Amino acid sequence: MKVVLAKSSGFCMGVRRAMELALEAVNNRPGAIYSYGPLIHNPQALDLLRNKGLRVLQSGASDLHDLEKGTVIIRAHGVPPEERRRLEETGLDIIDATCPRVIRVQMIIKRHAEKGYTPVIWGNPDHPEVVGLLGYSEGKGLTFNKPEDVAALPDRDKVILVAQTTQNQQMWEDVVKAVTTRWPEALVFDTICGATQRRQEEARRLAREVDAMVIVGGHNSGNTTRLAAVAEEEGAKTIHVETEDELDQAWLAGVGTVGITAGASTPNWMIIRLFRALERFAQKGDPSIKGKAHRLLRNMVLSNFFVALGAGILCLAAAMLQGIEPRPAFFGVAFFYVHAMHMLNMFLDKEASQYNDPDRALFLETYRHILISSGIFSALAGLLLGLTLGWGVFSLLAFMSTLGLLYAVPLVPHSLAKRIRLRRLKDIPSSKTLFLSGGWALALSCVPALSPEGELTWSTAVVGLICFLLVFIRSAFGDIFEIQGDRIAGRETIPIIIGEAKTINLLKLVVLVLAVALTAGWAAGLLTSLALVLLVCAAYAGLHLFLFRRDQIVGGTISEAMIDANFILAGILSLLWAVFQGGMS
């Protein structure tokens, strides 16, 4: 069974903004944090926010003045103006998380109501967005659900037509025809959100190409329900689920290709969980070589053996760049060190992994004791193997391992941490990417240089920079995929601080710097001619950025393996260079 994920699945701009504002509030603001009504229409996201301290107030509640002092967040759907005034009278700090697309509709209604027009709203009159829109109509607004309901609306002289932002675009022409037939002079505003339109159009295209469609999102989410209706209209076998637990493997029997799309209020981690569940269904018991190879690769990636393999191979390349004869011990030290540190990080950072990569979280929990044992073994094996290369290598590994162990340990008193918002090394903004890249760079460049065959020179510094840049690309790229889980955990990664678009631009610059460092290092005589061969690795990283921008990379085990494969590529190129170096020096 083939699984195809729609490109536009998951949070729309408005919902993402509301979640980010809510997570920033619960992670950083003092006092009680409330949302006025459910922030978005997704039970799992709301449960997560409740667990982090968000309290949900009922819309229209009359006892607002009895609330603890703190902050109240206005839901993404918006509220009527009179309810906002009541919130302001409480003295609570207000965060307005109303979707900007909804605010636009509110302003259209307000402006025309003041001119004497009657706003006619196409939407569900009980939906919170529509309730909020009606509040801007000065009591004149009318609502209807279907084109045939227009005839029953009361007479009015001047009307404008707007739509609930999540309505079905395919029905818009019929709605406009019904309203303009009744009121030929009506002013028409197409207020259906562009993100809603794109999701529905993509769902239609995907439904025509697959045997079955799985729609992920809250059962009370209007836009998610409409996506399911769109898929059914195209004749695809369709199921609407909130979580992967609602999937029935019998329902998937005989399905060759299944498509996945999700509503605008569906968190990324819910989509990932369902995607992984479908992948497991597809691969379960697959006796083919391809199926076995995929399961082996998955296990190697999830257990961090694949990235450790890449580190070991890259350490050999680092030695050859410095003109040092590579030794198996270099590979072993780097392999064991990176595997131990990554295993430690995985278990110390379980909260984020539950959302960033639920498949890995399940894998870690299932094989917890085996993986912890392998991490401890790797740490000891790396130190002992480092000792065979001299006290310099051993001391370096001991220092870096101690720093790794202290990464998640509280070092600042709780009272002081409240003021500076830093208690552990992991609380430093961007620390994960910078510490990880720095740790790799030190180990991979200095282990060969500190060995009996090596020597610390300017070549070591340049090789360290190259290793840092390669790992920085890998780590920052992963941070983009993990942005939602990192927000939930309160971690400030580079994409969270500067945004996804600027992170991509930063990575383009890093790829360019990598290419310059390789070329300039060779030209200055600090690196062997292998540096020119490794320009292929810079091109490989650039290719990943290009494919990501074209939505060809969506994350997951295979994507992670492809990114880490750049280290394997560096090793293969180094081996070929070593064979033919006589003609390349």
Side-chain angles (χ1 to χ4, degrees):
M1 182 176 68
K2 181 180 179 182
V3 184
V4 182
L5 177 63
K7 296 177 183 178
S8 58
S9 300
F11 283 169
C12 66
M13 176 273 293
V15 172
R16 181 181 294 110
R17 176 176 173 272
M19 280 293 291
E20 289 175 0
L21 289 170
L23 286 168
E24 192 280 332
V26 296
N27 284 326
N28 301 311
R29 285 198 174 222
I33 308 295
Y34 306 95
S35 73
Y36 191 65
L39 190 73
I40 61 174
H41 276 159
N42 185 273
Q44 290 72 37
L46 294 178
D47 286 344
L48 181 151
L49 291 170
R50 286 192 190 96
N51 291 336
K52 294 184 78 67
L54 183 74
R55 308 181 198 178
V56 179
L57 304 175
Q58 292 302 315
S59 299
S62 59
D63 55 348
L64 297 179
H65 287 281
D66 298 330
L67 298 174
E68 296 178 38
K69 294 302 179 184
T71 302
V72 62
I73 306 169
I74 294 176
R75 62 193 301 173
H77 307 100
V79 296
E82 61 271 19
E83 293 191 19
R84 171 156 188 146
R85 283 192 291 270
R86 291 179 57 239
L87 290 173
E88 291 172 347
E89 290 170 358
T90 64
L92 294 167
D93 292 332
I94 294 178
I95 296 176
D96 191 349
T98 305
C99 171
R101 302 287 192 272
V102 175
I103 292 175
R104 171 178 173 263
V105 190
Q106 292 173 346
M107 293 304 99
I108 290 173
I109 291 173
K110 182 177 184 292
R111 186 169 62 251
H112 286 84
E114 290 171 350
K115 295 178 180 179
Y117 284 87
T118 296
V120 176
I121 305 169
W122 174 40
N124 179 354
D126 297 324
H127 192 281
E129 179 188 330
V130 177
V131 172
L133 295 178
L134 283 170
Y136 287 84
S137 70
E138 298 187 351
K140 305 171 186 175
L142 304 173
T143 64
F144 66 98
N145 255 326
K146 302 183 293 295
E148 50 267 33
D149 296 338
V150 173
L153 294 175
D155 289 331
R156 292 291 186 268
D157 293 331
K158 299 191 302 182
V159 305
I160 65 166
L161 171 65
V162 296
Q164 180 182 332
T165 57
T166 56
Q167 284 290 50
N168 189 331
Q169 184 67 37
Q170 290 291 106
M171 291 180 61
W172 177 243
E173 290 185 12
D174 293 336
V175 168
V176 172
K177 182 178 179 181
V179 171
T180 54
T181 298
R182 176 78 188 274
W183 292 287
E185 303 301 323
L187 301 181
V188 177
F189 297 90
D190 183 352
T191 56
I192 298 175
C193 177
T196 298
Q197 295 179 33
R198 287 191 297 274
R199 277 173 171 75
Q200 292 176 3
E201 290 167 3
E202 189 173 353
R204 288 187 187 280
R205 287 196 301 270
L206 189 56
R208 297 186 194 115
E209 299 168 1
V210 300
D211 302 316
M213 286 286 292
V214 179
I215 315 297
V216 196
H219 289 303
N220 64 337
S221 166
N223 75 85
T224 307
T225 302
R226 275 183 278 279
L227 284 176
V230 162
E232 288 177 339
E233 288 170 8
E234 295 302 322
K237 184 179 179 182
T238 304
I239 185 172
H240 175 183
V241 301
E242 281 191 359
T243 72
E244 71 278 11
D245 295 333
E246 297 176 38
L247 278 177
D248 183 359
Q249 192 162 1
W251 184 85
L252 293 164
V255 173
T257 306
V258 60
I260 304 175
T261 190
S265 54
T266 306
N268 191 48
W269 72 84
M270 298 302 304
I271 302 170
I272 293 173
R273 285 181 180 176
L274 190 118
F275 187 85
R276 295 289 182 271
L278 287 172
E279 278 190 329
R280 287 194 293 273
F281 287 158
Q283 296 157 11
K284 190 175 181 180
D286 183 356
S288 68
I289 294 177
K290 180 180 178 181
K292 292 177 180 177
H294 190 283
R295 288 194 291 274
L296 175 62
L297 179 62
R298 172 182 175 272
N299 290 338
M300 288 185 66
V301 170
L302 295 180
S303 63
N304 293 310
F305 277 106
F306 191 77
V307 69
L309 177 66
I313 292 175
L314 190 58
C315 190
L316 297 178
M320 286 185 268
L321 277 171
Q322 298 176 72
I324 300 171
E325 187 71 25
R327 291 178 53 182
F330 298 164
F331 171 89
V333 167
F335 175 92
F336 288 126
Y337 167 75
V338 167
H339 180 257
M341 289 301 101
H342 277 252
M343 289 307 307
L344 175 67
N345 183 63
M346 287 291 105
F347 281 103
L348 289 177
D349 211 20
K350 290 190 292 184
E351 181 184 9
S353 68
Q354 289 174 1
Y355 304 105
N356 289 329
D357 195 345
D359 203 31
R360 188 189 297 274
L362 177 62
F363 186 87
L364 292 177
E365 191 60 35
T366 303
Y367 302 103
R368 175 183 178 85
H369 298 297
I370 295 175
L371 294 173
I372 290 176
S373 299
S374 72
I376 294 173
F377 172 82
S378 291
L380 295 175
L383 287 170
L384 291 174
L385 195 55
L387 189 58
T388 67
L389 293 174
W391 284 104
V393 173
F394 177 84
S395 300
L396 174 68
L397 293 176
F399 169 75
M400 290 169 54
S401 297
T402 302
L403 200 61
L405 289 171
L406 293 175
Y407 180 67
V409 176
L411 301 175
V412 177
H414 188 67
S415 57
L416 181 59
K418 283 184 176 181
R419 292 197 292 271
I420 64 175
R421 288 179 55 189
L422 294 175
R423 196 177 185 199
R424 301 159 298 184
L425 292 174
K426 68 179 291 186
D427 295 331
I428 299 173
S430 306
S431 63
K432 183 180 74 167
T433 296
L434 295 176
F435 282 29
L436 181 68
S437 304
W440 276 55
L442 274 173
L444 272 55
S445 62
C446 291
V447 164
L450 290 172
S451 69
E453 296 85 356
E455 178 183 6
L456 284 174
T457 64
W458 283 109
S459 298
T460 309
V462 177
V463 170
L465 173 63
I466 291 167
C467 291
F468 178 90
L469 295 173
L470 279 169
V471 182
F472 182 92
I473 293 168
R474 179 240 185 217
S475 185
F477 208 95
D479 288 342
I480 294 174
F481 290 119
E482 298 174 355
I483 192 167
Q484 285 189 16
D486 288 333
R487 282 192 191 280
I488 293 165
R491 176 191 289 157
E492 294 183 275
T493 60
I494 292 173
I496 290 175
I497 295 170
I498 68 174
E500 182 179 312
K502 289 183 179 179
T503 303
I504 291 295
N505 290 333
L506 174 63
L507 287 176
K508 290 177 182 177
L509 177 61
V510 172
V511 170
L512 178 61
V513 173
L514 173 62
V516 171
L518 287 165
T519 306
W522 170 78
L526 297 173
L527 305 178
T528 64
S529 58
L530 173 61
L532 299 180
V533 180
L534 293 184
L535 287 171
V536 174
C537 294
Y540 184 88
L543 175 63
H544 266 81
L545 289 174
F546 173 77
L547 293 176
F548 177 79
R549 295 293 286 178
R550 292 176 61 88
D551 295 321
Q552 299 299 308
I553 298 178
V554 296
T557 304
I558 297 300
S559 294
E560 184 177 342
M562 288 175 62
I563 294 170
D564 289 343
N566 204 9
F567 307 141
I568 309 292
L569 175 62
I572 294 172
L573 292 172
S574 299
L575 176 63
L576 294 174
W577 174 84
V579 173
F580 297 105
Q581 64 175 323
M584 298 178 61
S585 299

